[in-house]
Amino acid sequence: MDRYSFLNAAHTAFFAELYDQYLENPDGIEPSWRAFFQGFDFANEYSDGPVEQLSQAYTSTATSNTANVGNSGQIEQLQKEFAVLRLIDAYRTYGHLMTKTNPLRDRKVEHPDLSLEKFGLSQADLNISFEAAKTIQLPTSTLGQIIAQLEKVYCSTLGIEYKYITDEKIVSWIQNHYEAPEAKFNSEEKKEILHNLIEAVSFENFLNTKYVGQKRFSLEGLEAAIPAMDFLLDSAANRGVEEVVVGMAHRGRLNVLANVFKKPAQEIFSEFDGKDYDTVEGFDGDVKYHLGLSSARKTRSGKDLLINLTPNPSHLETVGAVIEGIARAKQDTVYTDSPSKVLPIALHGDAAISGQGIVYEIVQMAKLRGYKTEGTIHVVLNNQVGFTTNYTDGRSSTYSTDIAKVTASPVLHVNADDTEAAVRAFLFALDYRMTFGTDVFIDLVGYRKYGHNEGDEPKFTQPILYKLISKHPNARNIYNARLLEDKIVDETFVKSLEQQYKDALEVDLETSRKDEYAKIRTFMHENWKGFEIAEVDKMLADYDTKVSKEVLTQIAEVITELPEDKKFINKVKRLIGDRKAMFFEKDQLDWAMGELLAYGSLLTQGYDVRMSGQDVERGTFSHRHAVVKTEDTEESIILLNHLKEQKGEMRIFNSLLSEYAVLGFEYGYALTNPNTLTIWEAQFGDFSNGGQIMMDQYISAAEDKWTNQNGLVMLLPHGYENQGAEHSSARLERYLQLCAEDNMFVANVTTPANFFHLMRRQMVTNFRKPLIVMSPKSLLRHPEAVSSIKDFTEGKFQYVIDDPKADVSKVKSLVFCSGKFYYDLVAKREELGRDDIAFVRIEQLFPLPIEQIKEILAKYTNVEDYVWAQEEPKNMGAYSHMLMHFHEKPLRYAGTKAYSAPASGSSVRSKKRYAYAIAKVFDKNL
């Protein structure tokens, strides 16, 4: 029987299509065909030895069966069809390495071997027609025509990387869309592109002449980003997008503000003139290229689009995490049924995206249930230099965008001199994001006309590069010449547009000179209607945070009962049973119960609660169990989402092992939705060190820099329990050092009820401030750290707690302390039988409740010794903070001496130091 008779059963086009499917997904075709193609590839992979002989034997055998298979020419043609398919696949895989994407010089990459000989073809085959052409949407075409099309599609000024994607549907979609006949821009669209380029270039030229030498971090060399963004936003609105959230660093930011977000130019000029702000004291503002803006955009098709440019600090990539949180907050609350209507766009620098670790953390969020935002369009404004560092010293990867491969996201590489190609790349990226709801990257390769800033001399470090730049025409002139040649515009049209824009800028400049002050625009002001920026008097006021017993009982009934139709492990059953007993029988509520009741009470009032962090669902110390898992199916159940009177939603997510990006995400979430209690919990308090940039640049300073309120809560487990240097301290002193001008709350509370009222106070006010809580570890199960139901139903947040057991007339030493240390001091007092010493707990360290402390001081008329006691070393903790803010009495320090590490790694040594700190409280002679 002829082994090759099946080759006559179909036309060669069938084989070509089948082989193409095999190249994309070998497991997706019928096994016998897969085996055939595997043998074919194996035979063609080598050019000598046994395999070549096997290939020759295959050809000889096939040729000998002329009665069934046909002549050898047919077999040879079939083999060449396969060879052409392999050539096509090679272009799809490696074509991006051969693109003309660098506008200044040849790219320094090793070109792949795409010679005809590599694929068993020759020059003689260039005029032979192949049906394999149909796989790239050509009719049957010659090999020469196929190669020309491949060069045009994959090796021009626009290239694409995508062959590492394993999803066959996505790969097929990319090929179908990318290889489709190029859609031409009509004359009006081309004029619009030129108009945008004229504005982008003219804006930079205007600033360069009016504010010579001032820093502006110009976009020159990457002006194509302006028309590309313009077309992207218009097309996004046509695709159903209603809000866009943009994050970008300083490079080109002023141009984007003026020409994409339409920020009034006179306001930008006032900022260049360095005017003071038209606001009250306490607001310091920020440099002009860090400011944000929210504006409404009317597209050319008449659609409304809300666009937001997020304020950013000089830590370039922090804003990337923030915009993801902003987008997710909007998707969770406004666009719940169609989250893709919110589009995040992150603009990166090439040095930053490849050098900053937070980018990897953000990218890893892209598909996680707690953080995904239905896809982000990442745009790299690639100017080939990082400050003064060449890209060869700035990364090891081929591209700055190689981070995209982590999530198998496609990357488009485009020459910024080809503005139409840039616009097509942005539109393709939008189409991809809207189709698949995942990330896509654009590498817009241009240059930086000046140095890092306009006063810098770039020839110090890149003399050759800047010789090329000095002679290079800008994108406007290049595109203008193209349209002139095509007779789409004339010189009069171009000069008219330039003059109109320049005249408008002159008017704006003249108008700005008449203003005494610079104006401040609050970012996302619509989200904050009804909220006021609070000063210290409002921060220290009492608020009604109590909850009726009826409501608490309803919550307790739900969170102390597991579904009867589901199976749970015995420890979970026992834990839930213990909670039921503590509420309904013992009236002694522990920390976890107080915390869950706080969240539940807010949910019944219509507030949402969002919490994330490492292992927060169960809690690092197994105390929370806000999410319980069934034993047999691991189904997640959030009991708080089954309340009878529930109006809000509890959202709680275990995070990826990140602090920096996750903290930034939650900050962005809280920035967007003041009616959600947004909480980030560190696994241990010291883990917040990894997110310190977010703390420094956003959480502590954003209200002062950008007038942005934010109610983010940070729970930082803190307390000395012999767990070494790191897991003892949350570095309380760092947060206190950042406190000023009523910028945030810092607390170290000691009872479940006070924590309950603290969480509720965060939401019931008409202002929002970040809240830093030194969260306990041992107090989670401490027998004394319990509260009665009455403390929840009749109490309020206690800024200071006086000693409930002290006989005021006998007290000679008055000790101020905070947190878990209090319980150890009380235990020692009982052990010693002392009644001459009292312990006052400072539950809120900032703003420090001075007036309440004074009231307590007035009670203790016989005190001779005023003490600040802490478990942290002298140079840490709250001691220096108390010295700075508390001037009513001289404070004796009771604690350990200063150390470089927060605690000893030896448990024996740690216990000795701790005992010494306690002993100093009771003996001032130590």
Side-chain angles (χ1 to χ4, degrees), residues 691-741:
Q692 195 64 40
I693 290 173
M694 288 307 313
M695 187 68 215
D696 293 343
Q697 304 298 331
Y698 280 98
I699 296 169
S700 68
E703 186 177 288
D704 184 48
K705 292 192 294 186
W706 309 314
T707 70
N708 288 345
Q709 294 190 65
N710 196 293
L712 177 68
V713 178
M714 293 174 59
L715 301 183
L716 309 179
H718 176 88
Y720 281 60
E721 285 118 358
N722 311 308
Q723 295 193 47
E726 279 70 43
H727 291 345
S728 294
S729 176
R731 297 286 192 174
L732 170 61
E733 63 281 355
R734 290 186 178 174
Y735 301 95
L736 293 174
Q737 287 164 4
L738 292 170
C739 290
E741 297 184 309

Side-chain angles (χ1 to χ4, degrees), residues 543-755:
Y543 295 92
D544 184 4
T545 53
K546 60 182 179 293
V547 176
S548 70
K549 186 174 182 180
E550 179 184 4
V551 171
L552 289 182
T553 301
Q554 290 176 355
I555 298 169
E557 286 174 346
V558 173
I559 65 175
T560 60
E561 289 288 345
L562 294 169
E564 294 181 358
D565 59 339
K566 300 183 185 298
K567 186 178 181 181
F568 299 89
I569 65 172
N570 289 332
K571 284 187 177 180
V572 170
K573 292 179 184 177
R574 185 166 58 251
L575 182 146
I576 299 298
D578 289 345
R579 286 182 179 171
K580 187 171 186 176
M582 72 174 65
F583 187 92
F584 292 101
E585 299 173 17
K586 300 178 181 178
D587 192 19
Q588 289 188 333
L589 280 57
D590 67 4
W591 203 278
M593 194 64 176
E595 179 184 359
L596 295 175
L597 288 173
Y599 303 154
S601 67
L602 291 171
L603 295 174
T604 63
Q605 289 181 250
Y607 297 106
D608 291 335
V609 178
R610 175 185 166 91
M611 185 177 202
S612 85
Q614 294 150 23
D615 310 295
V616 297
E617 294 179 5
R618 187 187 75 182
T620 298
F621 310 104
S622 293
H623 80 288
R624 182 173 294 116
H625 292 277
V627 178
V628 291
K629 297 286 187 78
T630 58
E631 183 177 4
D632 46 358
T633 64
E634 290 193 3
E635 176 189 354
S636 295
I637 298 172
I638 302 175
L639 295 173
L640 280 170
N641 279 334
H642 297 274
L643 302 176
K644 295 176 183 177
E645 301 297 327
Q646 186 168 347
K647 298 174 184 175
E649 183 176 351
M650 178 74 184
R651 300 181 179 98
I652 182 166
F653 303 100
N654 288 338
S655 75
L656 65 161
L657 197 65
S658 156
E659 293 83 37
Y660 191 178
V662 172
L663 184 56
F665 185 102
E666 301 307 336
Y667 175 86
Y669 199 100
L671 178 64
T672 310
N673 191 351
N675 289 315
T676 294
L677 178 65
T678 306
I679 304 169
W680 176 75
E681 181 178 65
Q683 189 175 82
F684 282 85
D686 63 286
F687 283 22
S688 62
N689 295 347
Q692 195 64 40
I693 290 173
M694 288 307 313
M695 187 68 215
D696 293 343
Q697 304 298 331
Y698 280 98
I699 296 169
S700 68
E703 186 177 288
D704 184 48
K705 292 192 294 186
W706 309 314
T707 70
N708 288 345
Q709 294 190 65
N710 196 293
L712 177 68
V713 178
M714 293 174 59
L715 301 183
L716 309 179
H718 176 88
Y720 281 60
E721 285 118 358
N722 311 308
Q723 295 193 47
E726 279 70 43
H727 291 345
S728 294
S729 176
R731 297 286 192 174
L732 170 61
E733 63 281 355
R734 290 186 178 174
Y735 301 95
L736 293 174
Q737 287 164 4
L738 292 170
C739 290
E741 297 184 309
D742 320 319
N743 61 337
M744 58 185 177
F745 294 108
V746 178
N748 192 9
V749 298
T750 56
T751 71
N754 222 26
F755 183 80

Side-chain angles (χ1 to χ4, degrees), residues 182-254:
E182 185 178 289
K184 302 293 184 181
F185 294 106
N186 61 39
S187 296
E188 290 306 311
E189 289 171 330
K190 291 182 178 184
K191 289 179 181 178
E192 189 63 35
I193 291 172
L194 179 59
H195 191 174
N196 281 311
L197 281 175
I198 288 171
E199 290 186 345
V201 172
S202 299
F203 179 78
E204 299 292 358
N205 289 340
F206 190 86
L207 293 180
N208 194 42
T209 57
K210 300 297 182 180
Y211 297 99
V212 179
Q214 276 208 46
K215 289 182 182 180
R216 70 178 192 275
F217 298 101
S218 80
L219 190 61
E220 290 164 280
L222 287 160
E223 295 97 333
I226 299 300
M229 282 289 289
D230 180 74
F231 273 72
L232 170 63
L233 294 177
D234 271 32
S235 184
N238 292 334
R239 294 292 303 269
V241 173
E242 295 184 14
E243 289 203 47
V244 174
V245 186
V246 180
M248 69 178 298
H250 50 270
R251 177 73 54 198
R253 188 181 189 89
L254 294 177

Side-chain angles (χ1 to χ4, degrees), residues 27 167 189 218 235 304 473 521 542 705 762 863 901:
D27 295 329
D167 189 320
E189 289 171 330
S218 80
S235 184
D304 292 318
R521 292 175 178 264
D542 287 332
K705 292 192 294 186
Q762 194 69 0
V863 171

